[in-house]
């Protein structure tokens, strides 16, 4: 039995006052969400604030990216050790916006995964195809390659300490969600790829779905056998919406 995990990706949004209100809203229902893991990933500068707000609760905090370096002359970078140092537990890596807008290759993502694991963080590895790739029937090839790079760089056992997020790029921030069947098909494919290396790892790794998840579509998505929660963008910025999605994940347990 895999414990569902719901993570909010706040992207480039937030203010100190807004974060305080949002986290207070989420914390107001944390006691009903003991059967799932819940975390939020604010912009780097707000990580310490949110860690402070979440202190003593089950709400986890993560970064949205990190460097593959741990220190040195890398202006503007943030090391995974720094995220750990200020109390973060997770880090989103290989998000499609990082891949598309900042040139992150599969190899760079694999290096970042290595650095994050070394720093004791749980990487949330994002994989997924563009609309063009889906229409060219390349979804499986793309996802296979994205996974293969991380397996080659870190070994299959590394996935015991990771979370995967399947995020079809065409569904991110577009309001267009993969159908539960479309999502399940790719989730099963991902698990199958891991299974060809190690059956136990494949069964234990949690695979989130991400892409325009809302309170109204979360239950159907999370009801699929290989979907273990969600990575949530836009809907994680409103406590009530994020909690609605968390409740849908909690309802799949027990
Ligand atoms: C994301 O950015 O990871 C994401 C899934 O965004 P949204 O929920 O807004 O589609």
């Amino acid at each position: 039995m895999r414990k569902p995990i719901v993570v909010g990706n706040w992207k480039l949004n937030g203010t100190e006052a807004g974060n305080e209100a949002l986290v207070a809203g989420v914390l107001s229902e944390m006691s009903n969400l003991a059967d799932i893991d819940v975390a939020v990933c604010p912009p780097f500068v707000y990580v310490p604030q949110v860690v402070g707000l979440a202190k003593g609760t089950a709400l986890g905090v993560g970064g949205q990216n990190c460097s593959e370096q741990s220190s040195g002359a890398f202006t503007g970078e943030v090391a995974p050790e720094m995220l750990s140092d200020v109390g973060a537990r997770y880090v989103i890596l290989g998000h499609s916006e990082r891949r598309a807008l900042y040139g992150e290759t599969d190899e760079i993502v694999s290096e970042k995964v290595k650095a994050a694991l070394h720093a004791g963080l749980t990487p949330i590895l994002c994989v997924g195809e563009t609309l063009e790739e889906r229409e060219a029937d390349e979804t499986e090839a793309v996802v296979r390659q994205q996974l293969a790079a991380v397996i080659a760089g870190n070994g299959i056992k590394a996935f015991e300490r990771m979370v995967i997020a399947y995020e079809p790029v065409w569904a991110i921030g577009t309001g267009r969600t993969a159908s539960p069947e479309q999502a399940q098909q790719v989730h099963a494919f991902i698990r199958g790829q891991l299974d060809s290396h190690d059956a136990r790892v494949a069964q234990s790794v949690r695979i989130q779905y991400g892409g325009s998840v809302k309170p109204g579509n979360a239950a159907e998505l999370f009801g699929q056998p290989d979907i273990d929660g969600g990575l949530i963008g836009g809907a994680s910025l409103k406590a009530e919406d994020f909690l609605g999605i968390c409740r849908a994940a909690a309802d799949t347990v027990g």
Side-chain angles (χ1 to χ4, degrees):
M1 190 64 190
R2 296 177 296 267
K3 190 177 189 183
I5 174 167
V6 177
V7 175
N9 172 13
W10 290 2
K11 308 195 189 195
L12 189 55
N13 295 291
T15 59
E16 280 198 330
N19 302 342
E20 208 172 316
L22 179 52
V23 172
V26 173
L27 290 178
S28 70
E29 276 203 36
M30 278 304 288
S31 56
N32 300 330
L33 300 172
D35 290 339
I36 66 169
D37 287 331
V38 182
V40 293
C41 299
F44 284 136
V45 292
Y46 295 128
V47 169
Q49 181 206 7
V50 176
V51 167
L53 293 169
K55 203 176 163 106
T57 77
L59 180 66
V61 182
Q64 299 172 14
N65 176 36
C66 70
S67 177
E68 64 275 33
Q69 308 290 342
S70 36
S71 65
F74 303 100
T75 302
E77 290 291 271
V78 172
E81 285 80 358
M82 295 171 180
L83 283 172
S84 285
D85 190 35
V86 298
R89 301 214 309 255
Y90 300 93
V91 62
I92 298 169
L93 293 175
H95 190 281
S96 66
E97 287 152 17
R98 303 281 332 156
R99 293 179 190 263
L101 303 174
Y102 301 96
E104 290 192 8
T105 62
D106 290 339
E107 288 65 36
I108 292 172
V109 173
S110 175
E111 286 298 305
K112 289 185 176 200
V113 165
K114 181 176 294 177
L117 287 169
H118 186 256
L121 295 171
T122 299
I124 299 171
L125 170 67
C126 301
V127 298
E129 80 289 359
T130 63
L131 185 57
E132 221 180 15
E133 290 162 344
R134 173 161 284 262
E135 286 174 347
D137 214 10
E138 290 170 0
T139 299
E140 292 190 352
V142 169
V143 170
R144 182 189 296 118
Q145 175 50 38
Q146 290 169 333
L147 289 172
V150 177
I151 295 170
N154 296 275
I156 190 69
K157 294 282 187 207
F159 282 78
E160 283 175 342
R161 295 186 287 142
M162 291 167 62
V163 172
I164 298 174
Y166 168 58
E167 299 206 305
V169 180
W170 47 272
I172 297 179
T174 59
R176 200 177 150 183
T177 319
S179 69
E181 295 72 27
Q182 278 175 322
Q184 166 58 26
Q185 196 173 20
V186 183
H187 279 239
F189 174 77
I190 291 169
R191 213 176 288 290
Q193 289 296 297
L194 301 179
D195 186 71
S196 64
H197 293 268
D198 188 315
R200 196 191 300 216
V201 171
Q203 278 316 306
S204 65
V205 70
R206 294 181 292 180
I207 309 176
Q208 300 174 304
Y209 169 79
S212 298
V213 179
K214 304 274 182 288
N217 60 23
E220 253 200 312
L221 287 159
F222 298 164
Q224 299 297 313
D226 286 295
I227 300 184
D228 308 309
L231 181 56
I232 317 302
S236 71
L237 298 174
K238 280 197 194 143
E240 196 40 52
D241 288 353
F242 188 60
L243 286 170
I245 293 166
C246 290
R247 273 180 231 121
D251 285 347
T252 66
V253 182

